[in-house]
Structures are given as structure tokens and as C-alpha cells.
């Protein structure tokens, strides 16, 4: 439908240019015609809001604002050209105006082509899912990405059962997004878990996230040095020392964020009011989420770099009972580099861990094992006290997130496979739920195949 909308708006421009040029109208008449054309375009957009796929979300907000601004500009243009009756408008300028208008309209519709109207996947649980958000200020840490001495702020997004019975409590699962990720990157995972009786916290890592907000309402975008660092470690020929130095720094930041979030939840759960460092417009929602959270049963999970951070948390915190790594290299298991080769911990990984791999990563890991090459994930899964590993057939790196549903074109650029994106996430979420049910709720034995097929 967005293609049809673009065509209709451009037809208006072409018709206006042809009509005005044919009449050889003066500037006053042309400006009045421009006002009528812009008004007609806005009317077309408003009428098409009843069509599927056209809405007032971020995808079309740019177009809506543009159409409103063009009407305002055209209106004042009419007022300013009243005294120019008889003064001709050149055909060249009419054509240029139509072309520029078409370019602006096309540009404003780019989000509608890049981002879909995805609103999540069906959930299987009995609970209604409620949401709440807050920003936690860690007074013990200075924000390293700023120079004004401000403290580290960590946005958190809660997903929890809304219709819990009195006194009912649910295990806590904390999620860490990948590089350039954001809080809804695994939205379907959060809602699926919450509908089945979990409190899920999606933790954003400012300056590692594509974009987020601070307590002042400012938009914080990803840090350029972090972006260049990610590009560096993924380029050919990068040395292992560089990878180790950068990844150690990134994991330290993320794990400090996760520790702060978990500690804050544990110290605040059950309280009737929030401490001052909790900033939220939905205090009751946060208090309700904390009231149903069982802080004695905690799991952590993440995608990519977030998965690496989750694995690290399983090593360093005594209160973590289960860990899931979604296609992340377990960088925290590397303790150093010697002669260009990683030094990997060989002591048993202490808590139940589930590792998802995409198809290419799985076979690369198997090849490394066959050749006797050092690879952190192989070492961890080989010595874990309770380790499970599976790869999902036909997947790429981004198939373990909802991005292929939000923005198929962007996800493809970042790495997707041939698997059906929706079915893949429903399968992954099902395995995730089974794992946490077993190790956070004690519900049955968890079993997973080496290869998880998506049906």
C-alpha cells in the first residue's frame, strides 16, 4: 500500500505541473494551485489510513509532517503573492517544483519501505502481558562517553504478567541486546516469556544501542568509536590482541549495567515506593512488575555481544541460575592472547547454559574443533557442568532477533538465512521457554537436538 500511496501523491504533483504549465498561470494562480494540490495530497493520505499497512506510526509520520508543513508554506505563499497577479511563473520552475516535491515525498516514505508494521508474534501463555519502563541512574559510575561528569544511565523495559493471582511470583529474565541493538530487538521473546509467567527486563546499553533516551529526554545514539571498533574486529586480518582489548572493555560496561539492573531489582522488589534513582512516568507499573518478580530465580540471556555478556554474568554472579547465548561469541571466556592465540578458561562453566548458533557459525565451530583450533564457545560447551548447544537450520546472525520482521531489508544486510523469519523466532522462543521452564521453574527435563529444524 505504501507504493500505491507514493504513486498517488506523485500523480498529484505531475497533474498539477501539467495543468499549471498548460495554462501558463501567473505566480498568484500557481501558488493557489499549489495549496490545493498539497491539500489534496493530505486528503489522500488521510483517506488511505483506513487501508492495511498505512498508519500514523513512525513509518508514515515523516510524510504526515511534510504534508502539513507544505500546506502551511503554500498558504503563506498565497498571502505573499497576492500583489504578483499577472507576473508569470516560468515553466522550468514549475517542473523543478514538481520534481523536488516528488523527491521530498519519496524521502519521507523511506521508513515505510525499510520498516514494516510488525507488532509482535502470537504468544502461547495464559497471562496477559503488561509493560513498563524506567531509567536507572547508577551514581557509582561516571558516564565514560560524556565529559560533563554525568552518571551512567541504564534504561530498562519490563514485560510481566498482568493478571497474576494474589501472591504469585515469576522468575526474572534479564536480556542484553547485541551491538547497535535496541530495547525491542527481541520483542517476541519478551512477550512469549511474560505470557508464560516470567518477568522480563530488556536492558538497553546507551552508546552501544542504536538509539535510546536519557532522563533529560535527549536521544542518545550509538557511539562512533564503538561502531568503528565493531567494524575493526569483524574485518579480515585483525589481530587477536585488538579483539581481546576491545571486547574486554565492552563486556565490562555491559556486565556493570546488568549487575546494576539486577541489584536494583533485588533491593527494590516488594517496596511500595521507588528510590530516587528510578526515573519513570509509570511508577505504579514498575511497582506492579517488581511485586510479581521472584528474585530467587534469575536467568540472563542476550544476542550476539549481549549473549557474550550473559555468559560472563553466569561466571561472576552467584544468583544466576540459567544462561542463554543467542549466537554470540563467548568473548568473556578469553583471558588473554599468547603468540596470536586466545587463552581460554578451562574451569567448568558453573550454571546451566544454552547456546544457539546460526548454521554457518555451527559448522565453523565444528571445523575449528576438528582442527584443534582454540574457540571459546567450544571450550565452554565442552566443560560446562550442564551445557546444551543447538544450531537452527537455515539461519543467519539476525534470525535470532525480530529485526527480520521489523525491517527485512536491513536484517538481510546484517545477515539472515533462508529460514522463514517468523517461524524461526517462534521456534527459538519455544526452545528458550523450555530451557527456562526447566532450570528456573523446575518443570521437566530439558532436551534439545544438535540441529533445530523450523517447521
Amino acid at each position: 500500500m505504501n507504493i500505491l500511496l507514493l504513486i498517488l501523491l506523485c500523480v498529484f504533483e505531475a497533474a498539477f505541473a501539467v495543468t499549471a504549465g498548460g495554462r501558463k498561470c501567473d505566480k498568484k494562480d500557481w501558488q493557489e494551485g499549489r495549496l490545493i494540490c498539497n491539500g489534496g495530497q493530505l486528503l489522500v493520505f488521510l483517506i488511505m489510513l483506513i487501508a492495511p499497512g498505512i498508519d500514523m506510526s513512525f513509518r508514515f509520520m515523516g510524510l504526515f509532517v511534510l504534508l502539513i508543513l507544505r500546506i502551511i508554506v503554500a498558504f503563506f505563499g498565497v498571502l505573499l503573492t497576492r500583489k504578483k497577479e499577472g507576473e508569470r511563473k516560468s515553466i522550468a520552475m514549475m517542473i523543478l517544483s514538481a520534481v523536488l516535491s516528488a523527491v521530498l515525498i519519496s524521502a519521507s516514505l523511506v521508513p515505510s519501505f525499510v520498516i514494516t508494521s510488525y507488532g509482535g508474534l502470537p504468544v502461547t501463555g495464559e497471562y496477559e502481558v503488561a509493560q513498563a519502563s524506567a531509567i536507572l541512574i547508577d551514581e557509582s559510575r561516571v558516564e565514560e562517553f560524556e565529559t560533563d561528569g554525568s552518571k551512567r544511565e541504564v534504561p530498562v523495559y519490563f514485560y510481566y504478567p498482568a493478571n497474576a493471582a494474589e501472591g504469585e511470583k515469576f522468575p526474572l529474565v534479564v536480556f542484553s541486546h547485541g551491538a547497535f541493538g535496541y530495547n525491542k530487538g527481541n520483542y517476541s521473546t519478551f512477550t512469549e516469556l511474560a505470557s508464560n509467567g516470567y518477568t522480563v527486563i530488556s536492558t538497553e546499553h546507551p552508546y552501544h544501542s542504536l538509539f535510546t533516551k536519557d532522563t533529560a529526554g535527549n536521544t542518545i545514539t550509538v557511539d562512533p568509536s564503538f561502531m568503528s571498533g565493531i567494524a575493526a574486529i569483524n574485518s579480515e586480518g585483525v589481530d587477536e590482541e585488538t579483539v581481546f582489548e576491545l571486547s574486554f572493555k565492552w563486556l565490562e560496561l555491559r556486565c556493570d549495567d546488568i549487575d546494576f539492573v539486577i541489584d536494583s531489582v533485588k533491593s527494590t522488589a516488594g517496596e511500595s515506593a521507588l528510590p530516587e534513582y528510578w526515573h519513570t512516568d509509570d511508577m505504579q507499573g514498575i511497582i506492579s512488575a517488581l511485586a510479581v518478580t521472584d528474585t530467587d530465580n534469575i536467568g540472563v540471556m542476550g544476542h550476539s555481544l549481549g549473549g557474550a555478556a550473559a555468559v560472563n554474568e553466569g561466571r561472576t554472579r552467584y544468583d544466576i541460575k540459567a544462561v542463554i547465548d543467542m549466537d554470540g561469541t563467548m568473548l568473556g571466556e578469553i583471558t588473554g592472547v599468547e603468540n596470536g592465540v586466545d587463552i581460554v578458561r578451562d574451569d567448568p562453566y558453573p550454571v546451566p547454559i544454552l547456546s544457539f548458533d546460526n548454521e554457518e557459525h555451527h559448522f565453523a565451530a565444528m571445523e575449528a574443533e576438528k582442527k584443534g583450533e582454540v574457540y571459546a564457545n567450544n571450550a565452554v560447551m565442552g566443560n560446562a557442568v550442564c551445557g546444551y548447544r543447538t544450531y537452527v537450520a537455515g539461519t543467519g546472525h539476525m534470525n535470532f532477533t525480530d529485526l527480520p520482521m521489523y525491517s527485512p531489508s536491513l536484517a538481510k544486510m546484517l545477515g539472515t538465512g533462508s529460514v522463514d523469519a517468523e517461524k524461526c523466532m517462534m521456534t527459538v522462543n519455544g526452545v528458550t521457554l523450555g530451557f527456562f521452564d526447566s532450570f528456573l521453574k523446575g518443570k521437566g527435563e530439558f532436551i534439545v537436538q544438535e540441529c533445530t529444524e523450523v517447521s
Side-chain angles (χ1 to χ4, degrees), residues 205-222:
H205 305 285
Y207 302 96
H208 282 198
S209 175
L210 184 61
F211 62 88
T212 188
K213 294 280 188 179
D214 65 11
T215 51
N218 300 315
T219 298
I220 307 298
T221 56
V222 63

Side-chain angles (χ1 to χ4, degrees), residues 252-371:
E252 183 177 33
L253 175 75
R254 284 168 170 261
C255 289
D256 284 347
D257 286 348
I258 297 171
D259 286 340
F260 176 53
V261 169
I262 294 176
D263 291 341
S264 296
V265 169
K266 292 180 71 171
S267 65
T268 310
E271 298 295 327
S272 58
L274 298 175
E276 290 185 359
Y277 68 88
W278 287 73
H279 288 252
T280 179
D281 294 327
D282 186 12
M283 182 176 295
Q284 190 53 54
I286 295 295
I287 291 175
S288 297
L290 294 173
V292 299
T293 301
D294 175 11
T295 56
D296 289 330
N297 289 288
I298 303 174
V300 289
M301 65 182 301
H303 173 251
S304 193
L305 186 57
V311 173
N312 220 48
E313 288 295 280
R315 279 283 193 192
T316 58
R317 292 191 68 101
Y318 71 91
D319 51 0
I320 303 300
K321 292 190 175 181
V323 171
I324 295 180
D325 174 16
M326 289 181 158
D327 207 32
T329 302
M330 301 175 187
L331 298 167
E333 294 294 301
I334 301 171
T335 61
V337 179
E338 185 175 322
N339 298 322
V341 178
D342 292 333
I343 302 172
V344 180
R345 298 181 65 153
D346 58 3
D347 52 322
Y349 191 78
V351 298
I353 181 172
L354 167 63
S355 174
F356 286 103
D357 288 329
N358 76 54
E359 189 169 304
E360 181 181 357
H361 287 175
H362 167 75
F363 287 109
M366 295 304 98
E367 186 67 19
E369 187 171 41
K370 186 186 302 183
K371 294 180 178 179

Side-chain angles (χ1 to χ4, degrees), residues 47-58:
I47 291 174
M48 289 197 68
L49 285 176
I50 64 174
I54 308 293
D55 52 49
M56 288 295 290
S57 66
F58 167 77

Side-chain angles (χ1 to χ4, degrees), residues 333 385 446:
E333 294 294 301
V385 296
F446 177 71

Side-chain angles (χ1 to χ4, degrees), residues 23 31 47 93 106 109 119 124 132-133 155 213 217 250 256 297 304 345 349 377 382 413 420:
R23 291 191 295 112
Q31 200 65 56
I47 291 174
M93 291 303 295
S106 300
L109 278 170
T124 64
S133 63
K213 294 280 188 179
W250 298 335
D256 284 347
N297 289 288
S304 193
R345 298 181 65 153
Y349 191 78
N377 292 36
M413 289 173 55
D420 179 276

Side-chain angles (χ1 to χ4, degrees), residues 5 8-13 16 32-48 63 67-68 70-71 74 105:
L5 177 60
L8 290 175
L9 296 182
C10 288
V11 165
F12 261 77
E13 287 297 332
F16 171 57
E32 290 174 349
R34 166 54 67 195
L35 179 59
I36 294 171
C37 175
N38 292 349
Q41 289 171 324
L42 179 61
L43 181 60
V44 167
F45 172 67
L46 294 177
I47 291 174
M48 289 197 68
L63 173 65
L67 295 177
I68 293 294
R70 281 164 60 80
I71 288 176
I105 291 170

